[in-house]
Amino acid sequence: MTDEVVDLLVIGGGPAGLAAARGYREEGGKGRVVVISADPDSPYDRPPLSKDFLRGDTAEDDLGLLEDGELAKLEVTWAHDRVTKVDTAAKHAETREGSSFTYRNVVFATGSNPVALPVPGGDDPSVLHLRTLADGKRLKETTGTVRTVAVIGSGFIGCEVASSLRRLGLDVVQVTNEDAPQENRLGEEAGARIAGWLAEDGVRLVTGATVTAIERDAEGVTVRIDGQDDVRADEVLVAAGIRPATELAAEAGLDLHEGRIVVDAQMRSATEGVFAAGDVAYAFNAAAGRELSVEHWFDAEVMGKIAGRAAAGSEGAQWSDPPGFWSQIGDRWLKYAAWGDGYVEALFEEGPDGAFTVWYQNENGTCVGVLTYNADANYDKAFSLLS
Ligand SMILES: Cc1cc2nc3c(=O)[nH]c(=O)nc-3n(C[C@H](O)[C@H](O)[C@H](O)COP(=O)(O)OP(=O)(O)OC[C@H]3O[C@@H](n4cnc5c(N)ncnc54)[C@H](O)[C@@H]3O)c2cc1C
């Protein structure tokens, strides 16, 4: 096994990993940079997988994140491989394909994986999940061969997928343990609006439903629900949340909080030369004054960029943006930004033509989050209040 000496090793080729490599070079970081990505595909845009890519409005070729010749220009080596071990004392990493690296700095940007439902049949490999481009292509292929899909889960991915599948003409049953989609996070009125949109799109919602088993037979799938009728479908997709991919970090002995790597506002961990960014990080947000867990695309890019810049020696870059995301259910865009630890009051403000804003406040009446639909001025106002 030959050992390569690198200045920056990035583990993970999602938005955080790619941004780390870009940020390192932008800050003038010198020497050899290697990104190891376990995903066999070149870096791609993940959010369209449940939206325009699934609906067929965006082609696979248009999902790529790299500009032509960008890696060569940045002098970054991209390897499709998996890091299997990191020894932080020796500053040394090994991969599945037998490569090994001695690094000066390493960025953990290993992202998340979808969780399987903890019920009989939940881990059946035929159950669909959606995280990677390969998952997205499998789901798309499936849509060509089936009539009915059961979608379990009513987070943003579940709602986006359910609506997209309806637009493709499939019968969709969405099963959720919430009383309305996303009610637990966004409040009753927002939940009711989203339920209305899904119903308008023709999604059949089964709410307050605890799934007890997923059973496959020759004709399709039965979703068993505690105290309610079974749901029959040709295929089932589970969108029941994600788990940060921190096995590697745990084995390396990094400081973890609820499965995420603890880092400061510069994405620096307590271990010398080790940074983390994106879904896998429990990062200190300077404006919030505490660490946050976030699972959003834009935040992963921002954190990755900061990690790369800090690894190149910048002291200036630090994470202070309010976290958030945009979600598309059918052709309706929701914009959300929030500090992420709940609210005491959700103030619903109706706008023209179905537009709305939900202002989330804490016990002092301070704005801690916002959700808007066709109310960009309110979103911008709340964003600056949060910043
Ligand atoms: C269908 C879908 C739609 C979404 N829509 C939105 C949206 O609209 N808005 C939004 O804000 N967010 C959205 N998200 C969430 C967003 O995609 C994530 O928050 C973001 O991708 C996190 O970026 P990351 O770089 O931290 O991790 P990831 O994008 O998960 O990338 C991590 C990478 O690390 C690799 N990896 C893991 N372990 C290793 C290892 N040991 N060695 C080498 N490589 C490794 C993985 O293969 C993966 O490629 C969506 C997610 C999905 C799945």
Side-chain angles (χ1 to χ4, degrees):
M1 188 193 285
T2 53
D3 192 69
E4 216 184 310
V5 177
V6 296
D7 292 87
L8 181 69
L9 180 68
V10 179
I11 309 174
L18 177 57
R22 284 172 170 161
Y24 182 78
R25 288 302 193 213
E26 275 170 31
E27 194 63 35
K30 302 264 184 288
R32 186 140 167 71
V33 176
V34 174
V35 179
I36 310 278
S37 172
D39 195 312
D41 287 299
S42 293
Y44 53 87
D45 204 7
R46 216 180 277 288
L49 298 181
S50 47
K51 310 177 183 76
D52 35 323
F53 175 73
L54 178 56
R55 294 196 303 263
D57 298 336
T58 294
E60 182 181 342
D61 286 351
D62 295 327
L63 295 180
L65 292 178
L66 290 173
E67 287 155 32
D68 278 348
E70 186 179 357
L71 291 180
K73 205 155 77 194
L74 289 175
E75 295 182 51
V76 168
T77 302
W78 197 277
H80 295 283
D81 196 351
R82 176 174 286 278
V83 175
T84 50
K85 188 173 174 203
V86 178
D87 177 342
T88 58
K91 293 191 151 191
H92 191 258
E94 292 170 16
T95 77
R96 185 178 54 197
E97 302 297 324
S99 299
S100 78
F101 300 90
T102 299
Y103 60 80
R104 195 163 58 83
N105 288 304
V106 62
V107 178
F108 282 72
T110 47
S112 310
N113 295 310
V115 292
L117 268 195
V119 300
D123 57 357
D124 185 316
S126 72
V127 171
L128 298 164
H129 295 272
L130 185 56
R131 182 74 193 176
T132 62
L133 178 56
D135 294 337
K137 291 202 281 194
R138 183 179 170 202
L139 177 60
K140 252 170 100 71
E141 276 164 27
T142 305
T143 61
T145 60
V146 301
R147 189 67 244 133
T148 316
V149 179
V151 174
I152 301 178
S154 62
F156 277 112
I157 292 177
C159 294
E160 290 178 352
V161 167
S163 173
S164 296
L165 293 178
R166 274 299 301 148
R167 301 251 161 154
L168 291 172
L170 299 182
D171 291 334
V172 180
V173 187
Q174 190 174 1
V175 180
T176 171
N177 58 3
E178 296 189 85
D179 291 333
Q182 307 188 48
E183 184 181 292
N184 297 349
R185 169 153 55 167
L186 303 178
E188 260 179 49
E189 301 210 55
R193 282 301 178 108
I194 296 169
W197 290 344
L198 290 165
E200 205 173 283
D201 290 349
V203 174
R204 180 163 81 82
L205 269 174
V206 178
T207 56
T210 304
V211 173
T212 56
I214 299 173
E215 294 169 5
R216 181 168 289 277
D217 55 46
E219 275 82 48
V221 188
T222 302
V223 177
R224 303 240 181 251
I225 300 171
D226 189 24
Q228 296 195 45
D229 291 344
D230 298 340
V231 167
R232 272 297 286 175
D234 300 323
E235 287 295 344
V236 60
L237 178 132
V238 172
I242 55 168
R243 183 168 299 122
T246 22
E247 298 79 4
L248 193 65
E251 281 165 25
L254 298 184
D255 186 13
L256 301 184
H257 173 84
E258 292 174 359
R260 291 174 207 265
I261 304 166
V262 181
V263 290
D264 66 13
Q266 289 206 299
M267 308 298 134
R268 221 181 274 276
S269 79
T271 305
E272 208 277 313
V274 177
F275 297 78
D279 284 6
V280 85
Y282 184 59
F284 188 85
N285 182 295
R290 60 195 158 76
E291 287 91 358
L292 305 176
S293 306
V294 298
E295 299 168 356
H296 314 319
W297 184 270
F298 181 67
D299 296 297
E301 275 187 332
V302 170
M303 286 192 256
K305 183 71 75 81
I306 292 169
R309 291 182 60 190
S314 161
E315 292 295 331
Q318 59 172 6
W319 188 42
S320 59
D321 291 337
F325 59 88
W326 297 2
S327 172
Q328 191 185 27
I329 300 172
D331 48 15
R332 313 162 193 96
W333 280 100
L334 279 169
K335 297 184 180 180
Y336 178 72
W339 291 121
D341 39 12
Y343 53 85
V344 169
E345 203 169 5
L347 302 173
F348 190 87
E349 181 185 323
E350 193 88 49
D353 303 322
F356 68 84
T357 302
V358 189
W359 304 89
Y360 301 98
Q361 295 188 342
N362 68 9
E363 57 284 353
N364 306 320
T366 305
C367 178
V368 291
V370 69
L371 174 76
T372 62
Y373 167 61
N374 280 350
D376 286 355
N378 281 347
Y379 178 81
D380 294 344
K381 185 173 157 193
F383 203 84
S384 51
L385 283 173
L386 290 166
S387 303

